[in-house]
Amino acid sequence: MSSIRLSIVTPTRNAPHLLDRLFYSLVNQTCPDFEYVLVDTSSDDLTMERWWRDFAPHLDHRFRYARIHLPSPNMADAFEYAFNQAKGEYICPMTHKAMWRPDGVENLHRIIERYPKLPCFAFKSLYTDYDIHQGSFTDLGPIEFGSPWDGSGPEVFDSREIFVESVAAFADHGYESPYTNTHLTMPFSSHAVFSAELLARVKERFGAIVAGRFAGDSRLGYRVMDLEEHVHLFKDFEPRISSMLARTGAAGAQLNDWRYLSYVFSTLSIETKQVISRSPFGYMPLWAVLTAWELFSNVKEAQGNLRIKLEFPADKVKAMLVRELLQLRNVDEPLRAGLLRHVEAIATRLELHGLRAWF
């Protein structure tokens, strides 16, 4: 058995400016019992240079740096590598655009000790529109944010029901507030702690912990729900804060920016682009389309309690896409008008063929 109880892992890419807050919050934890692994997938050496120059001289043996060359952004491979680097009995993925409450690790240990039989548990992150990565440490004052664990037990959700609820909310709202609220109740790897034993079961079942054709860290959450009947959520526990203004090479907060969505789409694999291009959506790089594609591909691969039938009525898909197109920023109006006409064609094709068949 590993002598390390808790591992925290962070894949990062081309974002050395985000690391100060992260490391500052880690070295100031009230509980020192953890290991931390920074997995650098950058296309340049700036993050590596910052690690050895600015951070490593001030860190102890608990902190490790690992480098993997990824020619293009690939969250799935980055998280897969990060999980496999961890040596702890429990593993907590962490985004590089976040920072921890000083008692965050201490609270995670308290939960693990109180509930040692939970294979995983979810918690919430506190999101802010304030850019926590600007200015000096003193600008923030005392780092007080979120809520510590108050000792209360977790809420328990049926995995199948929460998945269906999420899909229904997505169909109605796209990637907007009601869907996002549901998203936070699911054991996404960006908001959860997983036992190493559970991750081994996931890998045995699916051939990989995270990796898939189009996958972010959320794919692990879906796979866990396929193996576990229940989701355990500590709904009032917010051990860390994330800045929604940090553009980081992942989804970030640029979900309604045409240029950024186009960039995200350009980073997908050729296979994924071909699948999407054959769907009714063509190459329209909307986050809603990509998220729908992931939801359906996860259901398709599931073998257990998530074996469910999902369908989006054409009118709901049309309303969702129109709403997202009207909210897009940094898009030429003639292009927006053309995309709106394209939505009409999408709705017609969906009425004839349905959505699920395309995924």
Side-chain angles (χ1 to χ4, degrees):
M1 180 178 292
S2 172
S3 60
I4 299 174
R5 171 65 68 84
L6 177 67
S7 295
I8 302 170
V9 296
T10 300
T12 187
R13 182 178 178 86
N14 297 345
H17 61 291
L18 301 181
L19 300 179
D20 297 80
R21 292 283 193 259
L22 172 61
F23 281 107
Y24 182 76
S25 68
L26 286 169
V27 298
N28 285 283
Q29 287 296 305
T30 57
C31 175
D33 186 11
F34 67 93
E35 74 155 359
Y36 178 79
V37 186
L38 180 71
V39 175
D40 180 10
T41 71
S42 300
S43 60
D44 56 40
D45 294 333
L46 297 180
T47 300
M48 179 176 65
E49 291 170 359
R50 284 221 66 195
W51 168 269
W52 293 114
R53 182 186 67 237
D54 300 332
F55 302 120
H58 309 289
L59 301 174
D60 55 38
H61 67 280
R62 295 173 299 161
F63 294 82
R64 291 191 284 127
Y65 170 87
R67 182 75 184 268
I68 176 176
H69 176 68
L70 295 177
S72 62
N74 186 323
M75 288 181 66
D77 285 352
F79 272 99
E80 189 77 20
Y81 188 80
F83 279 118
N84 285 309
Q85 286 289 310
K87 299 178 181 178
E89 297 175 47
Y90 294 86
I91 303 170
C92 179
M94 180 179 182
T95 173
H96 56 185
K97 61 184 179 183
M99 59 189 298
W100 289 79
R101 285 179 54 93
D103 58 2
V105 169
E106 179 182 347
N107 279 274
L108 292 179
H109 278 286
R110 289 174 59 208
I111 292 174
I112 290 170
E113 290 169 2
R114 177 80 65 84
Y115 301 98
K117 295 184 179 181
L118 282 185
C120 71
F121 57 87
F123 53 83
K124 285 192 174 183
S125 287
L126 179 66
Y127 289 96
T128 177
D129 289 331
Y130 172 69
D131 191 346
I132 64 175
H133 303 284
Q134 296 296 317
S136 66
F137 293 133
T138 57
D139 293 339
L140 289 177
I143 305 175
E144 297 289 343
F145 51 79
S147 304
W149 181 48
D150 63 3
S152 59
E155 287 196 23
V156 182
F157 298 88
D158 179 272
S159 294
R160 182 180 181 279
E161 290 180 359
I162 203 70
F163 192 97
V164 172
E165 178 186 350
S166 177
V167 173
F170 177 81
D172 289 335
H173 303 285
Y175 208 86
E176 294 183 33
S177 179
Y179 174 73
T180 304
N181 291 339
T182 304
H183 161 110
L184 290 174
T185 69
M186 302 176 73
F188 286 2
S189 56
S190 58
H191 303 91
V193 173
F194 303 88
S195 71
E197 182 274 334
L198 175 61
L199 295 183
R201 288 167 52 205
V202 170
K203 192 169 186 177
E204 180 181 6
R205 171 73 159 273
F206 297 102
I209 297 174
V210 182
R213 289 182 297 176
F214 167 58
D217 47 356
S218 58
R219 181 173 289 267
L220 172 59
Y222 295 131
R223 288 174 171 173
V224 166
M225 284 191 290
D226 185 55
L227 289 174
E228 294 293 321
E229 183 178 356
H230 295 109
V231 174
H232 296 82
L233 171 70
F234 292 88
K235 68 170 186 173
D236 296 321
F237 174 39
E238 296 174 327
R240 69 193 194 200
I241 186 171
S242 292
S243 174
M244 295 303 291
L245 298 181
R247 181 165 173 169
T248 64
Q254 316 296 318
L255 300 180
N256 65 343
D257 186 296
W258 173 262
R259 287 198 295 262
Y260 186 67
L261 289 169
S262 298
Y263 162 72
V264 171
F265 190 80
S266 72
T267 67
L268 300 178
S269 68
I270 294 176
E271 178 190 12
T272 299
K273 289 179 179 177
Q274 288 175 342
V275 171
I276 293 177
S277 71
R278 291 193 295 266
S279 80
F281 300 107
Y283 277 98
M284 187 159 59
L286 295 175
W287 185 253
V289 175
L290 301 181
T291 306
W293 194 86
E294 176 158 351
L295 286 171
F296 278 87
S297 65
N298 274 283
V299 172
K300 184 177 181 180
E301 80 172 9
Q303 301 296 317
N305 62 67
L306 294 183
R307 186 178 295 167
I308 54 181
K309 183 177 181 180
L310 299 175
E311 292 182 352
F312 289 170
D315 58 341
K316 286 190 175 183
V317 175
K318 177 181 176 180
M320 177 182 67
L321 293 178
V322 167
R323 183 168 55 247
E324 292 220 350
L325 285 173
L326 293 177
Q327 294 175 349
L328 277 180
R329 296 182 291 109
N330 295 320
V331 59
D332 295 334
E333 289 308 315
L335 176 58
R336 192 197 307 269
L339 291 171
L340 287 169
R341 289 192 296 271
H342 184 52
V343 168
E344 295 289 342
I346 290 173
T348 300
R349 296 179 71 181
L350 291 180
E351 288 174 355
L352 295 174
H353 304 290
L355 180 62
R356 193 171 193 276
W358 292 97
F359 292 91

